[in-house]
């Protein structure tokens, strides 16, 4: 990992990465340093573009820095007072008289990427004053250190993807069987069916989103034991299902969303909205690949713009109310780049080894989608998972959903 970080620093004309923490202020610094907690005093870790890492730690907290990762074991300078820090920090950075250093820290200009904004304004002013350094964002360095997945993690994701796709099919099959038998069926029952199948497959039994009609127009609606709706013939049902293997905290999630119609023929209005969503999904993936084919970088905000433009041109821009995708890994929303120029301006790069979702949606809570005179409401989202390689983007949750299947056809 140290080699990758230092290669990045040299390629981007940076003198080093200065990791700074006070208590739990900077989880990025704590994670990169491999520490179980942030301690109670200020500390600094300097990773230079060349040479070994160097620590500046408070004199009474030396014990917490004894069992560091091998690649971060380097000299440890101890300070007692803030005056010591002002004297020692420039020396730590190797600042020579008149030199102007460029250093990366957990700073995001204009707070564009809140995940990275861990350096408070006062600390930034202080460090700039005593070192004379130019501070630039460590956003992509943090991704490189924390969000790039190992081959074993990617293999775990592929196993999870196969299981969640199979369970998605089973859930729609279960729903179709109950509807054909004219038995009462609810969102909660389908959710419990999914949780049971996940447990049987030795997967974490997550509570999936199962949302009918207008409920699906709320992207984070969840049925609960106290709140759920019946599912009837003529309804549209969205299932958002994610999980990973049980008791394996480093393994990765798979996360997919599909929609189905509880009848014999999907209404044209439902098909039309789905086609727009699927077009936005496919445009995002194609844009990423086109950038890679051109040998160019690609950034989260750009992918969001491309996907959102498809939906906006179709007249549904105001009904696409969330980002296009999120980072994915050992947590459902992980530490890497999001496909986002709506909620934030995610200017991080899509680096090889990162995984993320692509999941545009259109949410119409008052739509009469079947012409019945009743505004049932509609929410459609289509979600796939992608892994970045050096020369290609891989969709790992194939097949794509290409149509809203009529479950009773």
């Amino acid at each position: 990992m140290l080699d990758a970080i230092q290669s990045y620093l040299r390629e981007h004309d940076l003198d080093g990465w200065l990791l700074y923490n006070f208590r739990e202020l900077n989880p990025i610094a704590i994670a990169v340093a491999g520490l179980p907690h942030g301690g109670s005093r200020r500390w600094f870790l300097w990773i230079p573009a060349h040479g070994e890492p160097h620590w500046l730690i408070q004199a009474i907290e030396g014990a917490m820095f004894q069992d560091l990762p091998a690649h971060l074991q380097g000299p440890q300078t101890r300070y007692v007072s803030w005056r010591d820090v002002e004297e020692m920090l420039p020396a730590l950075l190797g600042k020579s008289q008149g030199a102007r250093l460029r250093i990366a820290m957990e700073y995001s200009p204009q707070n564009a990427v809140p995940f990275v904004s861990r350096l408070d304004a006062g600390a930034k002013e202080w460090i700039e004053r005593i070192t004379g350094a130019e501070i630039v964002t460590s956003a992509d360095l943090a991704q490189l250190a924390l969000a790039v997945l190992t081959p074993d993690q990617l293999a775990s994701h592929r196993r999870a993807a196969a299981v969640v796709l199979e369970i998605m099919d089973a859930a729609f099959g279960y729903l179709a069987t109950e509807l054909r038998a004219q038995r009462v069926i609810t969102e909660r029952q389908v959710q419990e069916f999914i949780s049971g199948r996940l447990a049987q497959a030795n997967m974490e039994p997550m509570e999936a989103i199962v949302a009918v009609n207008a409920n699906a127009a709320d992207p984070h609606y969840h049925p609960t034991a106290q709140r759920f709706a019946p599912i009837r013939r003529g309804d549209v049902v969205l299932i958002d299902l994610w999980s990973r293997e049980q008791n394996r905290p480093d393994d990765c999630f798979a996360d997919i969303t599909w929609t189905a119609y509880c009848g014999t023929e999907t209404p044209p209005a439902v098909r039309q909205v789905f086609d727009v969503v699927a077009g936005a999904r496919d445009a995002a993936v194609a844009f990423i690949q086109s950038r890679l084919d051109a040998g160019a970088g690609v950034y989260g905000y750009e992918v969001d713009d491309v996907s959102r433009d498809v939906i906006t041109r179709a007249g549904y821009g105001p009904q696409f109310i969330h980002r296009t995708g999120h980072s994915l890994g050992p947590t459902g929303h992980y530490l890497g780049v999001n496909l986002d120029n709506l909620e934030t301006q995610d200017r991080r790069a899509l680096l090889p080894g990162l995984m993320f979702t692509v999941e545009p949606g259109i949410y119409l809570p008052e739509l009469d989608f079947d012409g019945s005179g009743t505004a049932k409401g509609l929410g459609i989202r289509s979600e796939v998972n992608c892994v970045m390689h050096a020369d290609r983007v891989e969709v790992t949750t194939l097949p794509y959903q290409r149509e809203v299947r009529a479950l009773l056809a």
Side-chain angles (χ1 to χ4, degrees), residues 36 54 74 78 83 123 136 139 151 154 163 175 181 195 208 229 270 276 289 297 301 347 357-358:
H54 200 136
R78 301 193 180 193
R83 294 178 178 86
V136 302
L154 290 176
V163 173
L175 176 56
S195 294
V270 176
V276 174
Q289 188 60 54
Y301 76 95
R347 298 184 176 275
T357 69
V358 177

Side-chain angles (χ1 to χ4, degrees), residues 234 236 261 265-270 366-378:
V236 175
Y261 175 66
E265 185 176 353
T266 304
V270 176
E366 298 181 358
L367 181 69
D368 175 10
F369 61 76
D370 58 4
S372 64
T374 301
K376 292 181 177 180
L378 179 69

Side-chain angles (χ1 to χ4, degrees), residues 80-102:
V80 174
S81 72
W82 64 265
R83 294 178 178 86
D84 293 339
V85 176
E86 293 207 351
E87 177 182 341
M88 295 173 173
L89 189 58
L92 181 82
L93 273 54
K95 182 181 182 332
S96 58
Q97 189 66 31
R100 172 72 165 172
L101 299 176
R102 293 184 75 242

Side-chain angles (χ1 to χ4, degrees), residues 187-225:
E187 295 168 331
R188 181 67 172 173
Q189 286 173 280
V190 178
Q191 183 189 62
E192 290 175 338
F193 172 89
I194 291 169
S195 294
R197 284 296 185 96
L198 288 169
Q200 290 173 14
N202 198 35
M203 303 284 284
E204 292 190 4
M206 313 300 294
E207 289 199 332
I209 294 174
V210 180
V212 63
N213 299 338
N215 287 344
D218 175 356
H220 278 183
Y221 168 85
H222 273 81
T224 68

Side-chain angles (χ1 to χ4, degrees), residues 105-114 116-117 124 135-139 345 347:
M105 294 191 74
E106 281 66 74
Y107 154 68
S108 178
Q110 304 300 310
N111 197 239
V113 188
V116 180
S117 292
K124 182 175 183 290
I135 295 175
V136 302
T137 183
S138 64
Q345 303 170 53
R347 298 184 176 275

Side-chain angles (χ1 to χ4, degrees), residues 235-286:
D235 289 343
V236 175
V237 176
L238 177 149
I239 297 179
D240 187 339
L241 165 57
W242 63 97
S243 190
R244 64 175 181 177
E245 293 171 318
Q246 287 197 65
N247 304 316
R248 297 173 65 94
D250 291 330
D251 281 6
C252 292
F253 280 83
D255 185 0
I256 60 173
T257 305
W258 284 54
T259 306
Y261 175 66
C262 299
T264 58
E265 185 176 353
T266 304
V270 176
R271 293 200 304 267
Q272 190 269 336
V273 172
F274 175 81
D275 287 346
V276 174
V277 170
R281 175 199 67 198
D282 296 350
V285 176

Side-chain angles (χ1 to χ4, degrees), residues 138-153:
S138 64
D140 282 336
L141 272 167
Q143 287 201 107
L144 187 65
L146 300 178
V148 171
L149 303 175
T150 67
D152 285 346
Q153 287 178 309

